[in-house]
mmCIF file of all heavy atoms in Angstrom:
data_model
loop_
_atom_site.group_PDB
_atom_site.id
_atom_site.type_symbol
_atom_site.label_atom_id
_atom_site.label_comp_id
_atom_site.label_asym_id
_atom_site.label_seq_id
_atom_site.Cartn_x
_atom_site.Cartn_y
_atom_site.Cartn_z
ATOM 1 N N GLY B 1432 53.094 -71.793 214.689
ATOM 2 C CA GLY B 1432 53.449 -73.192 214.900
ATOM 3 C C GLY B 1432 52.389 -74.000 215.607
ATOM 4 O O GLY B 1432 52.544 -75.198 215.774
ATOM 5 N N MET B 1433 51.317 -73.346 216.083
ATOM 6 C CA MET B 1433 50.263 -74.104 216.753
ATOM 7 C C MET B 1433 48.899 -73.536 216.381
ATOM 8 O O MET B 1433 48.442 -72.565 216.970
ATOM 9 C CB MET B 1433 50.442 -74.049 218.272
ATOM 10 C CG MET B 1433 49.573 -75.059 218.993
ATOM 11 S SD MET B 1433 49.580 -74.835 220.789
ATOM 12 C CE MET B 1433 48.298 -73.604 220.990
ATOM 13 N N PRO B 1434 48.251 -74.140 215.360
ATOM 14 C CA PRO B 1434 46.958 -73.597 214.923
ATOM 15 C C PRO B 1434 45.943 -73.660 216.052
ATOM 16 O O PRO B 1434 45.900 -74.618 216.818
ATOM 17 C CB PRO B 1434 46.543 -74.533 213.781
ATOM 18 C CG PRO B 1434 47.765 -75.289 213.415
ATOM 19 C CD PRO B 1434 48.640 -75.332 214.615
ATOM 20 N N THR B 1435 45.130 -72.601 216.187
ATOM 21 C CA THR B 1435 44.075 -72.582 217.196
ATOM 22 C C THR B 1435 42.750 -72.320 216.492
ATOM 23 O O THR B 1435 42.731 -72.087 215.276
ATOM 24 C CB THR B 1435 44.316 -71.471 218.225
ATOM 25 O OG1 THR B 1435 44.416 -70.230 217.528
ATOM 26 C CG2 THR B 1435 45.596 -71.704 219.001
ATOM 27 N N GLN B 1436 41.681 -72.368 217.217
ATOM 28 C CA GLN B 1436 40.393 -72.084 216.589
ATOM 29 C C GLN B 1436 39.393 -71.544 217.598
ATOM 30 O O GLN B 1436 39.580 -71.676 218.812
ATOM 31 C CB GLN B 1436 39.836 -73.335 215.919
ATOM 32 C CG GLN B 1436 39.629 -74.497 216.885
ATOM 33 C CD GLN B 1436 39.071 -75.707 216.164
ATOM 34 O OE1 GLN B 1436 39.509 -76.033 215.068
ATOM 35 N NE2 GLN B 1436 38.084 -76.351 216.770
ATOM 36 N N PHE B 1437 38.366 -70.902 217.087
ATOM 37 C CA PHE B 1437 37.297 -70.396 217.946
ATOM 38 C C PHE B 1437 36.035 -70.361 217.098
ATOM 39 O O PHE B 1437 36.058 -69.903 215.968
ATOM 40 C CB PHE B 1437 37.633 -68.983 218.430
ATOM 41 C CG PHE B 1437 36.759 -68.514 219.564
ATOM 42 C CD1 PHE B 1437 37.169 -68.689 220.888
ATOM 43 C CD2 PHE B 1437 35.520 -67.922 219.308
ATOM 44 C CE1 PHE B 1437 36.350 -68.280 221.932
ATOM 45 C CE2 PHE B 1437 34.703 -67.518 220.356
ATOM 46 C CZ PHE B 1437 35.127 -67.692 221.671
ATOM 47 N N TRP B 1438 34.936 -70.871 217.645
ATOM 48 C CA TRP B 1438 33.699 -70.766 216.874
ATOM 49 C C TRP B 1438 32.643 -69.989 217.646
ATOM 50 O O TRP B 1438 32.610 -70.009 218.873
ATOM 51 C CB TRP B 1438 33.176 -72.139 216.451
ATOM 52 C CG TRP B 1438 32.510 -72.932 217.547
ATOM 53 C CD1 TRP B 1438 33.108 -73.813 218.379
ATOM 54 C CD2 TRP B 1438 31.127 -72.903 217.906
ATOM 55 N NE1 TRP B 1438 32.190 -74.340 219.249
ATOM 56 C CE2 TRP B 1438 30.960 -73.804 218.983
ATOM 57 C CE3 TRP B 1438 30.004 -72.215 217.416
ATOM 58 C CZ2 TRP B 1438 29.732 -74.020 219.584
ATOM 59 C CZ3 TRP B 1438 28.769 -72.433 218.021
ATOM 60 C CH2 TRP B 1438 28.644 -73.332 219.099
ATOM 61 N N PHE B 1439 31.818 -69.275 216.910
ATOM 62 C CA PHE B 1439 30.737 -68.496 217.518
ATOM 63 C C PHE B 1439 29.712 -68.174 216.445
ATOM 64 O O PHE B 1439 29.943 -68.396 215.256
ATOM 65 C CB PHE B 1439 31.275 -67.220 218.151
ATOM 66 C CG PHE B 1439 31.833 -66.233 217.160
ATOM 67 C CD1 PHE B 1439 31.122 -65.082 216.807
ATOM 68 C CD2 PHE B 1439 33.072 -66.449 216.578
ATOM 69 C CE1 PHE B 1439 31.640 -64.183 215.891
ATOM 70 C CE2 PHE B 1439 33.600 -65.558 215.657
ATOM 71 C CZ PHE B 1439 32.880 -64.417 215.317
ATOM 72 N N THR B 1440 28.581 -67.668 216.892
ATOM 73 C CA THR B 1440 27.520 -67.336 215.952
ATOM 74 C C THR B 1440 27.194 -65.854 216.053
ATOM 75 O O THR B 1440 26.627 -65.419 217.056
ATOM 76 C CB THR B 1440 26.244 -68.153 216.274
ATOM 77 O OG1 THR B 1440 26.610 -69.519 216.430
ATOM 78 C CG2 THR B 1440 25.211 -68.005 215.194
ATOM 79 N N PRO B 1441 27.542 -65.080 215.036
ATOM 80 C CA PRO B 1441 27.200 -63.649 215.081
ATOM 81 C C PRO B 1441 25.682 -63.492 215.096
ATOM 82 O O PRO B 1441 24.983 -64.212 214.387
ATOM 83 C CB PRO B 1441 27.786 -63.088 213.775
ATOM 84 C CG PRO B 1441 28.742 -64.116 213.299
ATOM 85 C CD PRO B 1441 28.253 -65.435 213.800
ATOM 86 N N SER B 1442 25.190 -62.581 215.918
ATOM 87 C CA SER B 1442 23.731 -62.477 216.021
ATOM 88 C C SER B 1442 23.206 -61.098 215.645
ATOM 89 O O SER B 1442 22.002 -60.894 215.592
ATOM 90 C CB SER B 1442 23.291 -62.817 217.454
ATOM 91 O OG SER B 1442 23.909 -61.935 218.353
ATOM 92 N N VAL B 1443 24.098 -60.166 215.406
ATOM 93 C CA VAL B 1443 23.644 -58.830 215.021
ATOM 94 C C VAL B 1443 24.447 -58.395 213.804
ATOM 95 O O VAL B 1443 25.683 -58.406 213.840
ATOM 96 C CB VAL B 1443 23.860 -57.816 216.167
ATOM 97 C CG1 VAL B 1443 23.345 -56.441 215.763
ATOM 98 C CG2 VAL B 1443 23.184 -58.291 217.437
ATOM 99 N N SER B 1444 23.763 -58.039 212.725
ATOM 100 C CA SER B 1444 24.490 -57.640 211.526
ATOM 101 C C SER B 1444 25.064 -56.245 211.715
ATOM 102 O O SER B 1444 24.646 -55.487 212.592
ATOM 103 C CB SER B 1444 23.563 -57.660 210.315
ATOM 104 O OG SER B 1444 22.636 -56.593 210.423
ATOM 105 N N THR B 1445 26.046 -55.914 210.877
ATOM 106 C CA THR B 1445 26.642 -54.586 210.952
ATOM 107 C C THR B 1445 25.567 -53.504 210.798
ATOM 108 O O THR B 1445 25.550 -52.522 211.539
ATOM 109 C CB THR B 1445 27.705 -54.432 209.852
ATOM 110 O OG1 THR B 1445 28.703 -55.428 210.060
ATOM 111 C CG2 THR B 1445 28.342 -53.065 209.908
ATOM 112 N N ALA B 1446 24.644 -53.733 209.857
ATOM 113 C CA ALA B 1446 23.590 -52.726 209.626
ATOM 114 C C ALA B 1446 22.745 -52.541 210.881
ATOM 115 O O ALA B 1446 22.440 -51.411 211.283
ATOM 116 C CB ALA B 1446 22.725 -53.154 208.455
#
Side-chain angles (χ1 to χ4, degrees):
Chain B
M1433 193 189 86
T1435 56
Q1436 59 180 42
F1437 194 93
W1438 76 269
F1439 66 104
T1440 311
S1442 59
V1443 182
S1444 71
T1445 300

